[in-house]
Amino acid sequence: GLPDMEWLAADVRELHAHMPKASVDVALDKGCLDAVYCSPKSDNNVLAIKSAVLRVLKPGGRWVCLMNAGFLGSIPPTHIETLLEDSRWKSLEIRRLVPISSGLYLYVWTKGSVR
């Protein structure tokens, strides 16, 4: 295994109840944001996830999300980008994955330094 890695199963909107502030190098999401984005009250839930992830990420930490934009007609989910805008992010990198027709995107948000 990976002795320095710890896995946690929890409600992503409530990460603060399970881990200290600025304690995570990488938050990896493979489908959670997609599922929440398609649910009732999605905007509120997406904002709660963003807040929780920003709270637990260390400065320079990354939130890596694999998103399936196929349900949006294979276009980038720009509404998600708008919802997740925040001055605490240093950068956002978006990569469309192959095959192009799949609508899979890799989003990597990097948290800036503490102000």
Side-chain angles (χ1 to χ4, degrees):
L2 301 167
D4 294 333
M5 188 175 292
E6 181 179 336
W7 295 90
L8 173 68
D11 184 332
V12 69
R13 297 168 299 177
E14 299 177 2
L15 292 175
H16 59 279
H18 303 282
M19 52 185 50
K21 184 177 181 179
S23 63
V24 174
D25 294 306
V26 177
L28 180 62
D29 171 4
K30 183 183 174 267
C32 179
L33 200 54
D34 281 336
V36 169
Y37 188 61
C38 294
S39 68
K41 299 181 183 176
S42 63
D43 286 6
N44 291 339
N45 287 323
V46 168
L47 292 172
I49 291 169
K50 174 187 74 174
S51 293
V53 170
L54 275 165
R55 184 184 178 284
V56 300
L57 278 179
K58 294 177 181 177
R62 292 195 167 107
W63 183 16
V64 180
C65 296
L66 181 63
M67 294 193 65
N68 181 359
F71 64 92
L72 298 171
S74 294
I75 59 169
T78 54
H79 185 242
I80 280 283
E81 294 166 32
T82 302
L83 269 178
L84 296 175
E85 283 180 356
D86 194 293
S87 62
R88 293 171 288 179
W89 294 125
K90 176 182 172 184
S91 64
L92 167 60
E93 181 180 346
I94 305 169
R95 300 255 172 121
R96 189 167 186 175
L97 304 179
V98 292
I100 298 296
S101 61
S102 72
L104 288 176
Y105 290 83
L106 186 67
Y107 284 74
V108 180
W109 284 272
T110 302
K111 184 176 177 179
S113 58
V114 177
R115 293 181 184 153

